[in-house]
């Protein structure tokens, strides 16, 4: 089957175009889930405080005072301001919720309830609503009311304990890994709840704790410990399950990554680097046994790679049908021919910044593709339009502004 990786036409059907999503969350996990839904056609209304915008607008580098992270995280969202702690803001939010399919929030447990905007009030306004609650620790338990961020999830889950060199400190990722994994999981949870609604007709509450999805993607560590008392240690770039598996420096100063999860690939690598006799060693027959002899295998592979340029290494591995990839930074990613073929980094025309390159939608659908329709909008840019569509009159909008609710 042939699929198209380039921009679909504006009239192409979007699979989630019938959904309306209210994004009340800030920073990363909750907003990322809303972004993923918007990428495939959902109408996403980003609700921010009138005087305290989503902090992601100010995270990271900016151009001409415009935050670039927000341009990605806020894409395909209409930007509205509401102060939910004020009566007018609360009433307007309930009117919006009555028209929505999904509401995503990441306030500390009890905050919406304090404003009389908890599940009781929201479900009364719209029994079909899916209320999606994204917090560090979940809605109950001894940590539920603690402040928390993805960094704490990376530490608590075991990820940091597994990451880094054996004789070095645990290592945290230099980006929002736990938040991103939770964002992906939240989008999946929302779609699962909506699928259930198709059968029952009723909405429900999604409780997403950021500490849980990252634990899930670490693999069977809990089961290994339960059954064997096994605690995996840090191994740096090596693997406890196969070898050779590492990064190796080329003659021209670049790095490449080699993986040999399959036995046949491990054998091809040994033939390629001129050490076929190692294949006949008794310990070479399993990945775990190869990992126990990683020093020998790393020396064989590393010395061969060190004598060749990156281009020579990549060409030789490709010819041998062995698994290798260059260690790329963002400059390499932007010009990589495979990413270019997939249109993984695409261009969006932005009224504020002009042509703007960013990661494309997450996957391709042959008949109902996703698309980036616009990048992140200015704070509150769509408030009047959205609320007018909701039925508010100019007099009501003025009253909300006088109250400080907009």
């Amino acid at each position: 089957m042939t699929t198209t990786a380039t921009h679909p036409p504006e009239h192409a059907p979007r699979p989630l175009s019938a959904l309306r999503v209210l994004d009340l969350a800030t920073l990363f996990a909750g907003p990322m889930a809303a972004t993923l839904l918007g990428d495939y056609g959902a109408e996403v209304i980003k609700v921010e405080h009138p005087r305290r915008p989503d902090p992601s607008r100010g995270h990271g580098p900016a151009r001409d005072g415009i935050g670039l992270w927000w341009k990605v995280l806020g894409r395909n969202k209409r930007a509205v301001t509401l102060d939910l702690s004020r009566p007018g803001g609360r009433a307007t939010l309930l009117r919006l919720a009555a028209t929505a399919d999904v509401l995503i929030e990441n306030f500390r447990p009890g905050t919406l309830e304090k404003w009389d905007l908890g599940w009781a009030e929201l479900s009364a306004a719209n029994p079909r609503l899916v209320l999606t609650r994204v917090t560090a620790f979940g809605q109950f338990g001894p940590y539920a009311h603690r402040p928390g961020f993805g960094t704490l999830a990376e530490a608590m889950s075991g990820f940091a304990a597994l990451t880094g060199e054996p004789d070095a400190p645990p290592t945290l990722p230099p980006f929002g890994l736990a938040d991103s994994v939770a964002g992906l999981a939240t989008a999946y949870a929302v779609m699962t709840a909506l699928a259930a609604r198709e059968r029952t007709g009723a909405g429900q509450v999604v409780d997403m704790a950021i500490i849980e999805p990252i634990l899930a993607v670490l693999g069977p560590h809990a089961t290994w410990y339960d059954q064997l008392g096994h605690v995996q240690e840090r191994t740096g770039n090596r693997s406890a399950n196969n070898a050779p598996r590492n990064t190796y420096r080329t003659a021209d100063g670049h790095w490449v990554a080699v993986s040999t999860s399959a036995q046949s690939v491990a054998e091809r690598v040994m033939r390629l680097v001129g050490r076929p006799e190692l294949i006949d060693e008794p310990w070479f027959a399993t990945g775990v046994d190869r990992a126990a002899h990683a020093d020998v295998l790393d020396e064989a592979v590393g010395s061969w790679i060190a004598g060749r340029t990156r281009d020579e290494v990549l060409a030789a591995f490709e010819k041998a049908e062995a698994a290798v990839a260059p260690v790329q930074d963002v400059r390499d990613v932007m010009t990589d021919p495979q990413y270019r073929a997939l249109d993984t980094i695409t261009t969006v025309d932005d009224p504020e910044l002009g042509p703007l390159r960013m990661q494309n939608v997450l996957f391709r659908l042959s008949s109902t593709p996703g698309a980036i329709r616009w990048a992140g909008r200015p704070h509150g840019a769509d408030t009047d339009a959205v609320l007018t569509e909701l039925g508010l009159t100019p007099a009501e909008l003025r009253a909300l502004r006088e109250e400080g609710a907009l």
Side-chain angles (χ1 to χ4, degrees), residues 45-115:
I45 298 173
K46 175 71 177 182
V47 180
E48 298 173 83
H49 193 281
R51 293 162 292 281
R52 295 190 297 275
D54 187 326
S56 66
R57 289 181 179 272
H59 266 58
R63 178 184 159 201
D64 299 333
I66 300 169
L68 298 177
W69 203 328
W70 169 253
K71 286 296 180 182
V72 178
L73 192 64
R75 71 192 193 190
N76 292 333
K77 299 179 183 182
R78 304 174 78 187
V80 169
T81 60
L82 277 180
D83 184 343
L84 304 182
S85 68
R86 298 179 185 265
R90 174 189 180 275
T92 304
L93 191 280
L94 286 174
R95 289 178 68 172
L96 277 171
T99 71
D101 299 282
V102 179
L103 188 153
I104 301 174
E105 62 97 0
N106 70 338
F107 299 106
R108 286 200 218 178
T111 300
L112 282 184
E113 285 74 10
K114 179 180 67 176
W115 297 330

Side-chain angles (χ1 to χ4, degrees), residues 135-398:
T135 57
F137 305 110
Q139 295 295 310
F140 56 90
Y143 303 166
H145 290 276
R146 293 181 181 179
F149 300 98
T151 296
L152 306 190
E154 290 147 10
M156 284 182 59
S157 64
F159 172 85
L162 291 171
T163 307
E165 295 296 328
D167 56 351
T171 301
L172 295 167
F175 63 96
L177 177 63
D179 280 308
S180 298
V181 174
L184 291 163
T186 300
Y188 168 64
V190 166
M191 297 310 298
T192 302
L194 290 172
R197 190 182 72 175
E198 289 297 305
R199 296 194 305 273
T200 66
Q204 60 181 299
V205 178
V206 173
D207 179 5
M208 176 62 66
I210 295 173
I211 60 173
E212 292 184 305
I214 190 168
L215 179 59
V217 302
L218 288 178
H221 296 279
T223 304
W224 286 344
Y225 180 76
D226 174 66
Q227 295 295 301
L228 303 171
H230 175 73
V231 178
Q232 183 170 335
E233 303 294 336
R234 289 191 292 282
T235 57
N237 289 324
R238 288 179 171 179
S239 169
N241 302 308
N242 66 81
R245 191 267 197 180
N246 213 326
T247 58
Y248 307 93
R249 193 166 191 174
T250 63
D252 52 350
H254 295 288
W255 292 86
V256 297
V258 172
S259 177
T260 57
S261 296
Q263 180 71 21
S264 59
V265 173
E267 293 176 5
R268 290 174 200 154
V269 170
M270 289 302 103
R271 295 189 185 99
L272 172 63
V273 302
R275 298 295 300 277
E277 74 281 2
L278 294 176
I279 299 171
D280 297 326
E281 293 286 348
W283 49 261
F284 198 86
T286 70
V288 172
D289 286 339
R290 292 200 311 274
H293 294 79
D295 287 342
V296 174
L297 297 172
D298 275 347
E299 192 282 328
V301 176
S303 61
W304 185 89
I305 289 176
R308 291 159 177 81
T309 67
R310 180 174 66 176
D311 288 347
E312 290 170 339
V313 170
L314 297 177
F317 267 72
E318 182 175 0
K319 184 177 180 181
E321 297 185 356
V324 70
V327 176
Q328 301 190 146
D329 64 19
V330 68
R331 293 167 295 186
D332 303 311
V333 170
M334 299 296 270
T335 59
D336 182 277
Q338 183 60 32
Y339 282 135
R340 281 191 167 182
L342 296 174
D343 196 31
T344 304
I345 305 296
T346 196
T347 301
V348 181
D349 289 325
D350 181 65
E352 294 183 288
L353 298 176
L356 183 66
R357 287 193 289 174
M358 64 177 66
Q359 298 97 318
N360 208 341
V361 298
L362 199 59
F363 50 85
R364 286 160 294 281
L365 296 175
S366 61
S367 299
T368 56
I372 303 172
R373 291 161 284 158
W374 61 83
R377 302 266 288 146
H379 181 231
D382 303 294
T383 300
D384 284 9
V386 170
L387 297 187
T388 298
E389 292 166 11
L390 190 62
L392 274 71
T393 65
E396 288 175 307
L397 291 175
R398 282 196 302 272

